[in-house]
Amino acid sequence: MNQATPQTAAARLKKISPLRPTLAIVLGSGFHHVLSELHVDKKVSYAKIPSFPKPTVSGHAGELYFGHLGKTPVMVLSGRAHFYEGHSMERVTFAVRALAAFGIRDLLLTNAAGGINPDFRRGDFMVLTDHINLMGVNPLRGGDATSPEAFATGASQPLPRFVDMTQVYDAKLGALLFRAGKSCNLKLQRGVYLAVSGPSYETPAEIRAFARLGADAVGMSTVPEAMVARQCGLNVAAVSCITNAAAGIGKRKLSHAEVLETAGRVKTLAAKLLKHFVGLYGQI
Ligand code: HPA
């Protein structure tokens, strides 16, 4: 694949809008409704940005927005590439590298997830405190400042290979999410997100195993982006919409339709949460 560098993509982004937000939000299932609150400056299809992936999942549009939520400038990525779609990890995380090259400092990742913690209900929101990567690959594999791969990604400064993951999710941004939840009367859960590659859902035995490992929710995204963001020095926060009880926790069979149904039911709440979060972010 003839891959443009993140710097090339960032240069293109800089030509699209004069706005220079420091915050970017990646919208997963359930969170897209916030776009109705966004005062859009510019909207661009991923197809127009070098090397941005084309999402193939319904509900993942593949559009990047520059705009304001309230008074705060923000970049919003509607749609992401998933590993289960067959993309390489480089492709899945390319947008994050481009955001870092653009000058984004803070990244909010959102997703839909299955609830493992028995206290969680469908439609709850969970702030990630940590993660377990069971995708079977490390997205930083191959990247090193002195390696040919690093030069191929166009890194302008050496990026560490052995990245510390002690605190992936930024405590200050997490606290802002909780304050945002409070200000819209929404009690947020907190917990550990376990990432699998998908695309099948899990078996009940897998979910029992994941519970024993310490997972509160399970999903198929976010972790590669969060890890690459940390390598690039971005502050990361993440929030899951618990769209279903994980396999064997509830009585029902799992389906993408249920995920979308719950996501649709809580979309207004999700939008409110993000809007309040950005409002508070603008005050710091
Ligand atoms: N498992 C994995 N990914 C998911 C789930 C789930 O139960 N729900 C939403 N995304």
Side-chain angles (χ1 to χ4, degrees):
M1 181 175 42
N2 203 356
Q3 174 110 332
T5 66
Q7 283 70 23
T8 307
R12 171 87 182 93
L13 290 176
K14 284 183 180 169
K15 287 202 184 115
I16 289 166
S17 165
L19 289 187
R20 295 291 177 264
T22 56
L23 172 68
I25 305 178
V26 178
L27 301 179
S29 306
F31 292 89
H32 295 267
H33 192 62
V34 74
L35 292 172
S36 66
E37 303 269 351
L38 186 73
H39 302 287
V40 179
D41 173 62
K42 283 277 154 47
K43 163 179 157 180
V44 61
S45 159
Y46 286 2
K48 298 253 167 70
I49 313 169
S51 287
F52 261 52
K54 243 203 205 128
T56 61
V57 192
S58 66
H60 287 266
E63 281 159 347
L64 183 145
Y65 294 77
F66 284 90
H68 286 84
L69 272 171
K71 292 198 171 92
T72 310
V74 62
M75 200 192 272
V76 182
L77 280 74
S78 173
R80 57 154 58 89
H82 298 85
F83 190 53
Y84 64 71
E85 292 172 81
H87 300 295
S88 67
M89 274 296 175
E90 288 72 25
R91 198 45 103 111
V92 167
T93 58
F94 180 84
V96 172
R97 293 197 188 279
L99 295 182
F102 172 89
I104 290 294
R105 287 206 309 269
D106 302 297
L107 179 65
L108 175 61
L109 301 167
T110 66
N111 62 53
I116 297 178
N117 186 319
D119 294 339
F120 291 1
R121 297 286 161 264
R122 277 175 69 193
D124 279 357
F125 294 94
M126 180 190 89
V127 175
L128 275 66
T129 53
D130 205 346
H131 73 230
I132 298 172
N133 180 15
L134 282 191
M135 290 183 114
V137 232
N138 189 304
L140 309 188
R141 181 171 174 268
D144 177 70
T146 55
S147 72
E149 292 90 342
F151 291 111
T153 66
S156 58
Q157 57 193 36
L159 292 177
R161 166 175 274 172
F162 303 108
V163 182
D164 177 46
M165 294 285 158
T166 312
Q167 185 78 65
V168 176
Y169 302 94
D170 185 78
K172 281 192 194 131
L173 292 177
L176 275 194
L177 276 167
F178 281 104
R179 276 179 59 202
K182 241 190 189 147
S183 67
C184 47
N185 267 331
L186 189 57
K187 185 186 170 296
L188 302 182
Q189 307 282 9
R190 69 175 74 225
V192 174
Y193 175 97
L194 185 144
V196 290
S197 71
S200 69
Y201 291 113
E202 301 69 38
T203 65
E206 285 167 341
I207 294 299
R208 285 195 299 277
F210 295 169
R212 288 187 172 204
L213 291 178
D216 296 290
V218 59
M220 305 175 192
S221 69
T222 301
V223 163
E225 292 139 288
M227 293 176 72
V228 166
R230 290 305 301 138
Q231 183 185 42
C232 296
L234 303 184
N235 304 311
V236 184
V239 60
S240 297
C241 173
I242 306 296
T243 49
N244 57 284
I249 302 273
K251 300 263 177 293
R252 307 156 64 142
K253 279 193 173 177
L254 271 62
S255 70
H256 191 52
E258 181 187 3
V259 170
L260 295 180
E261 193 265 308
T262 309
R265 184 161 57 77
V266 299
K267 66 180 187 182
T268 317
L269 276 177
K272 226 174 163 181
L273 176 66
L274 295 189
K275 194 176 169 198
H276 278 77
F277 170 81
V278 175
L280 291 169
Y281 176 87
Q283 290 167 25
I284 56 173

